[in-house]
C-alpha cells in the first residue's frame, strides 16, 4: 500500500502556521509531513530540527521527516544524538532525510566547510557511518577524511532502527544510497519522471551488489502538485489539473516503483491540502496498486500484490501506527 505525505514550509513570516498545517495533515490522514532545511536566506524561517520537534510534540500519529537535512550544517554524531532523542520522545515517528548539500552559498554563510561534489558524497558516506556507529557502539571511534570521532559515547541507544533516507541524484550518490540508506527521496524538479527511473535502477543495482534486497528500501518522491489553476509551465516537473487527472498521474508515478508520494503543494495551501486528501489520496488508497490499464476493464491488482514477499516491517519502513505518542514536555494537549 503506498504512503502519502505533504511538505510543510517552515515559514516564520506569520502569514501561515506550519505547526497547525502539520496537525491538520494528521487529521486528514496523511502518513508523514516533511520539512526542508534551508536556514540561510532573507525569508523568515524556522530552523528545521526545532520545528520538527515542535510538530512532533503537537501531533500523535503522523511521521515527521527532514527533507533533507544539509549534512554540513551539523556534526553527524550530534545529529545522531538529536535523532535518538526526537525519535524516542515522538514514539518512533522520525525519518531522517539527509543530503550532502547543494547550495554552497548557504554553507559559506553559516561557516560550514566548502566541498566539491565528489567530496560531498564522501562526507555523506562518512556522516552516515558516524551516525550509525554512535547508535550502535560506545565508545565509538572513527577516523575519516571529513569526520573524526574519538571514543564517542551516546546513551541511550535507539530502541529501533531510525530510517535514513537520502536525497541524491548523481551516479556516485545514487550508488551510495543503494549501499547504505533505508530510503531514497528525490524531487520532481531535478529528477522528473522521464529521468527518474534510470536513477532508481542505479539505486536498486547498488543495493543488489551490496548484498541487500532492493525492495527493503523505501522509494519516496517529492511531487509538485496543484489541483486546478493554470496549466503547468513544465508538466514534467509539476502536476496540475482536475483531481481525476492528478490521480492518473500519481498512479503512473507509483507504477515507476515509488512507495511514498510526498506532495509539495502550491496555491492556497490549506485548501489544496484538504482537496488532495479527499480527492486524490482517498481514491489512490481505494485503487491500491491498480494500473490504468487494469482499471479500464481488466482484473484489478490486489493491494500490495506487486510487492508480495516484502516484510511488513523492515528497516527504514513505516511501522504500524501507534495508538498515541507519549505526552511531550511542554505539550499543551
Amino acid at each position: 500500500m503506498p504512503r502519502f505525505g505533504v511538505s510543510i514550509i517552515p515559514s516564520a513570516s506569520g502569514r501561515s502556521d506550519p505547526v497547525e498545517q502539520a496537525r491538520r495533515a494528521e487529521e486528514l490522514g496523511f502518513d508523514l509531513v516533511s520539512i526542508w532545511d534551508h536556514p540561510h536566506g532573507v525569508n523568515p524561517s524556522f530552523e528545521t530540527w526545532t520545528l520538527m520537534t515542535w510538530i512532533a510534540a503537537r501531533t500523535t500519529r503522523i511521521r515527521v521527516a527532514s527533507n533533507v537535512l544539509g549534512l554540513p550544517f551539523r556534526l553527524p554524531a550530534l545529529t545522531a544524538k538529536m535523532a535518538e532523542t526526537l525519535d524516542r520522545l515522538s514514539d518512533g515517528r522520525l525519518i531522517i532525510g539527509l543530503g550532502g548539500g547543494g547550495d554552497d552559498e548557504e554553507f559559506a554563510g553559516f561557516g560550514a566547510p566548502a566541498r566539491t561534489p565528489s567530496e560531498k558524497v564522501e562526507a555523506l558516506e562518512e556522516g552516515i557511518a558516524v551516525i550509525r556507529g554512535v547508535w550502535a557502539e560506545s565508545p565509538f571511534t572513527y577516523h575519516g577524511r571529513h569526520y573524526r570521532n574519538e571514543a564517542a559515547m551516546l546513551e541511550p541507544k535507539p530502541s529501533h532502527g531510525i530510517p535514513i533516507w537520502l536525497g541524491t541524484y548523481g551516479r556516485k550518490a545514487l550508488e551510495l544510497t543503494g549501499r547504505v540508506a533505508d530510503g531514497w527521496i528525490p524531487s520532481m524538479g531535478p529528477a522528473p519522471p522521464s529521468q527518474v527511473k534510470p536513477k532508481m535502477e542505479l539505486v536498486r543495482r547498488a543495493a543488489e551488489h551490496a548484498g541487500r534486497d532492493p525492495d527493503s528500501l523505501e522509494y519516496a518522491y517529492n511531487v509538485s502538485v496543484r489541483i486546478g489553476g493554470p496549466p503547468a509551465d513544465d508538466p514534467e516537473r509539476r502536476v496540475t489539473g482536475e483531481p481525476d487527472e492528478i490521480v492518473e498521474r500519481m498512479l503512473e508515478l507509483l507504477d515507476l516503483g515509488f512507495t511514498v508520494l510526498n506532495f509539495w503543494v502550491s496555491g492556497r495551501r490549506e485548501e489544496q491540502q484538504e482537496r488532495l486528501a479527499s480527492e486524490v489520496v482517498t481514491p489512490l488508497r481505494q485503487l491500491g496498486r491498480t494500473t490504468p490499464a487494469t482499471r479500464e476493464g481488466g482484473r484489478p491488482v490486489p493491494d500490495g500484490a506487486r510487492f508480495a514477499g516484502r516484510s511488513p516491517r523492515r528497516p527504514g519502513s513505516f511501522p504500524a501506527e501507534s495508538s498515541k505518542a507519549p505526552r511531550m514536555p511542554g505539550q499543551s494537549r
Side-chain angles (χ1 to χ4, degrees):
M1 186 66 151
R3 304 286 181 134
F4 301 95
V6 63
S7 178
I8 303 297
I9 297 177
S11 172
S13 66
R15 293 192 296 270
S16 62
D17 184 343
V19 177
E20 187 57 36
Q21 287 176 11
R23 291 180 62 184
R24 185 57 180 150
E26 179 173 77
E27 292 171 356
L28 292 169
F30 285 98
D31 300 294
L32 75 150
V33 291
S34 70
I35 301 96
W36 65 52
D37 186 34
H38 295 288
H40 178 271
V42 297
N43 295 323
S45 65
F46 292 108
E47 190 276 326
T48 297
W49 201 277
T50 310
L51 179 59
M52 289 169 59
T53 302
W54 198 254
I55 286 173
R58 299 297 302 278
T59 55
T60 60
R61 173 196 59 81
I62 201 163
R63 302 208 74 182
V64 183
S66 56
N67 190 13
V68 292
L69 290 181
L71 180 69
F73 287 129
R74 305 165 186 86
L75 290 173
L78 182 57
T79 299
K81 181 63 176 177
M82 294 159 62
E84 194 287 326
T85 298
L86 179 51
D87 189 72
R88 184 175 296 273
L89 290 173
S90 67
D91 195 26
R93 291 188 286 135
L94 176 65
I95 298 168
I96 304 176
L98 276 179
D103 192 332
D104 293 337
E105 182 180 332
E106 282 191 310
F107 299 131
F110 274 65
R115 295 179 177 132
T116 67
S118 179
E119 288 172 336
K120 288 176 181 180
V121 178
E122 292 174 356
L124 184 58
E125 183 165 14
E126 289 186 12
I128 294 169
V130 171
I131 290 170
R132 292 224 174 101
V134 297
W135 281 344
E137 302 176 25
S138 288
F140 176 76
T141 295
Y142 184 88
H143 293 167
R145 180 183 175 193
H146 303 280
Y147 296 109
R148 296 175 62 89
N149 293 81
E150 297 291 344
M153 306 286 286
L154 187 151
E155 297 295 340
K157 301 300 183 191
S159 59
H160 69 111
I162 301 174
I164 297 176
W165 296 0
L166 299 185
T168 52
Y169 300 94
R171 175 177 289 274
K172 288 184 178 179
L174 292 167
E175 290 174 345
L176 171 65
T177 303
R179 290 199 310 273
V180 305
D182 301 304
W184 180 48
I185 184 164
S187 297
M188 181 175 270
S194 62
Q195 301 174 19
V196 79
K197 186 63 174 179
K199 296 180 184 296
M200 183 186 291
E201 289 304 317
L202 272 174
V203 174
R204 294 181 65 87
R205 285 199 300 271
E208 288 179 338
H209 292 160
R212 309 176 71 199
D213 177 4
D215 285 343
S216 69
L217 278 68
E218 293 283 3
Y219 298 90
Y221 201 23
N222 291 315
V223 180
S224 298
V225 62
R226 178 174 180 172
I227 298 177
D233 295 335
D234 187 349
E236 266 285 281
R237 290 176 167 83
R238 184 167 175 241
V239 179
T240 61
E242 294 308 307
D244 58 341
E245 297 174 301
I246 293 175
V247 168
E248 290 290 340
R249 288 290 305 278
M250 297 306 108
L251 285 169
E252 292 170 4
L253 298 180
L254 292 171
D255 284 338
L256 290 175
F258 287 106
T259 59
V260 181
L261 297 180
N262 185 55
F263 299 121
W264 292 31
V265 303
S266 58
R268 296 179 59 185
R269 292 188 60 82
E270 292 79 5
E271 176 191 10
Q272 287 286 316
Q273 190 168 289
E274 297 202 8
R275 291 193 67 186
L276 280 167
S278 62
E279 300 176 47
V280 174
V281 171
T282 296
L284 285 170
R285 285 184 169 141
Q286 292 170 346
L287 289 165
R289 287 290 185 173
T290 306
T291 64
T294 58
R295 287 185 290 105
E296 289 171 0
R299 184 168 57 87
V301 179
D303 258 357
R306 292 169 57 191
F307 291 84
R310 280 189 174 184
S311 167
R313 177 71 179 102
R314 59 190 187 277
S317 68
F318 289 84
E321 293 175 2
S322 58
S323 58
K324 187 166 183 176
R327 187 169 182 173
M328 300 280 287
Q331 188 171 351
S332 60
R333 64 180 187 87

